[in-house]
């Protein structure tokens, strides 16, 4: 004879799959704008379209500044405090939950993905920062603040500007592989939520606090204005 617990379990209905909101509009705009701008930066650099290359770099700088601010004051899933975890938590995730199939986990970035976000932001900030001081081999083209350093330092910045970009490309490749792993093995689509803002969820509705979209767009515009002002007043491109 089944006990009460077993009977209740047998008659329990499966937990409903529902869609819940995960990402706000400013985060999604940041993500896809960054994808486009990295592509534009690569294309214009390869084809010596340096006016456009610099403009792409300034735009990426504005986005990075926005993401830094939004990671502190933005929606719950956008905040660094929600996804930057210690090594013990990351190791535990890699050993266990990472290989579990199905729709589950955290509403935003998982512990491993959180550090990949931090790594990407740091690499891009370094790469753009080097570009601001870079000098072309013939000295004809340069970053807006190259006048603050000597020629050899400017050339060093240019060389590392290219090296860091190759590291960025490698991290992007790892990111794509990770997304495919989640899609094909775990049956967890990470691309769709970054487009629509919502994802499939099983179980209790995750408590995510969302900041107003107008605030995020305002911060983004302010960051763009600040970068433009600094480059206009003190840069020499």
């Amino acid at each position: 004879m089944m006990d009460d617990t077993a009977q209740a379990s047998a008659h329990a209905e499966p937990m409903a799959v529902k869609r819940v909101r995960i990402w706000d509009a400013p985060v999604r705009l940041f993500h896809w704008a960054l994808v486009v701008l990295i592509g534009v930066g690569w294309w214009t650099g390869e084809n010596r379209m340096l006016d456009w290359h610099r403009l792409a770099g300034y735009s990426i700088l504005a986005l990075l500044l926005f993401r830094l601010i939004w990671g502190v004051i933005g929606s719950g899933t956008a905040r660094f405090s929600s996804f930057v975890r210690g090594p013990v938590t990351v190791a535990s995730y890699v050993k266990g939950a990472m290989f579990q199939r199905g729709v589950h986990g955290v509403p935003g970035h998982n512990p491993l993905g959180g550090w990949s976000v931090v790594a990407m932001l740091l690499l891009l900030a370094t790469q753009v920062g080097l570009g601001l001081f870079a000098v072309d081999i013939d000295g004809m083209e340069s970053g807006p603040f190259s006048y603050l350093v000597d020629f050899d330092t400017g050339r060093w910045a240019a060389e590392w500007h290219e090296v860091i970009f190759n590291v960025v490309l490698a991290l992007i490749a790892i990111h794509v592989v990770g997304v495919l792993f989640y899609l094909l093995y775990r049956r967890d689509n990470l691309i769709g939520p970054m487009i629509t803002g919502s994802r499939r969820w099983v179980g209790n509705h995750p408590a995510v606090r969302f900041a107003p979209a107008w605030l995020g767009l305002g911060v983004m515009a302010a960051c763009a204005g600040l970068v433009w002002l600094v480059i206009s007043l003190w840069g020499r491109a």
Side-chain angles (χ1 to χ4, degrees):
M1 179 178 292
M2 299 174 61
D3 59 22
D4 292 341
T5 302
Q7 290 180 13
S9 177
H11 291 89
E13 295 182 359
M15 301 188 73
V17 178
K18 51 186 175 294
R19 297 200 68 84
V20 298
R21 187 182 175 203
I22 299 297
W23 300 115
D24 60 29
V27 164
R28 287 178 282 142
L29 178 60
F30 161 83
H31 179 88
W32 296 113
L34 191 61
V35 170
V36 171
L37 287 170
I38 289 174
V40 170
W42 170 79
W43 176 259
T44 54
E46 289 293 313
N47 291 277
R48 305 289 298 171
M49 303 165 62
L50 296 184
D51 286 340
W52 287 101
H53 185 73
R54 282 188 286 264
L55 183 59
Y58 302 155
S59 301
I60 291 174
L61 180 58
L63 285 178
L64 293 175
L65 182 58
F66 157 77
R67 190 63 184 88
L68 179 63
I69 296 172
W70 203 240
V72 176
I73 69 170
S75 302
T77 50
R79 296 194 178 196
F80 297 120
S81 60
S82 73
F83 59 80
V84 177
R85 296 288 182 261
V88 174
T89 302
V90 175
S92 176
Y93 175 78
V94 171
K95 290 179 181 178
M98 180 177 176
F99 296 99
Q100 296 175 9
R101 300 193 183 203
V103 180
H104 51 76
V106 295
H109 296 298
N110 61 59
L112 185 61
W115 278 107
S116 72
V117 171
V118 172
M120 179 64 76
L121 295 178
L122 289 175
L123 283 171
L124 286 173
T126 301
Q127 202 244 349
V128 172
L130 289 168
L132 297 176
F133 298 92
V135 177
D136 201 1
I137 192 168
D138 56 8
M140 299 297 294
E141 296 286 353
S142 60
F145 297 110
S146 60
Y147 70 93
L148 297 175
V149 300
D150 58 38
F151 179 78
D152 289 339
T153 303
R155 287 300 304 141
W156 175 88
E159 291 169 1
W160 277 99
H161 179 70
E162 184 173 353
V163 169
I164 296 297
F165 184 69
N166 289 330
V167 178
V168 169
L169 291 179
L171 188 57
I172 290 173
I174 293 172
H175 176 73
V176 171
V177 170
V179 169
L180 291 176
F181 167 78
Y182 273 77
L183 180 63
L184 300 177
Y185 178 80
R186 290 191 51 173
R187 303 294 189 267
D188 192 358
N189 182 2
L190 302 181
I191 302 173
M194 194 54 72
I195 296 174
T196 65
S198 63
R199 62 168 292 179
R200 297 171 64 237
W201 191 264
V202 177
N204 296 328
H205 193 294
V208 179
R209 185 196 66 82
F210 285 93
W214 61 264
L215 177 61
L217 297 177
V219 171
M220 193 175 292
C223 291
L226 178 61
V227 170
W228 174 83
L229 183 64
V230 171
I231 298 297
S232 298
L233 293 180
W234 293 289
R236 298 178 187 174

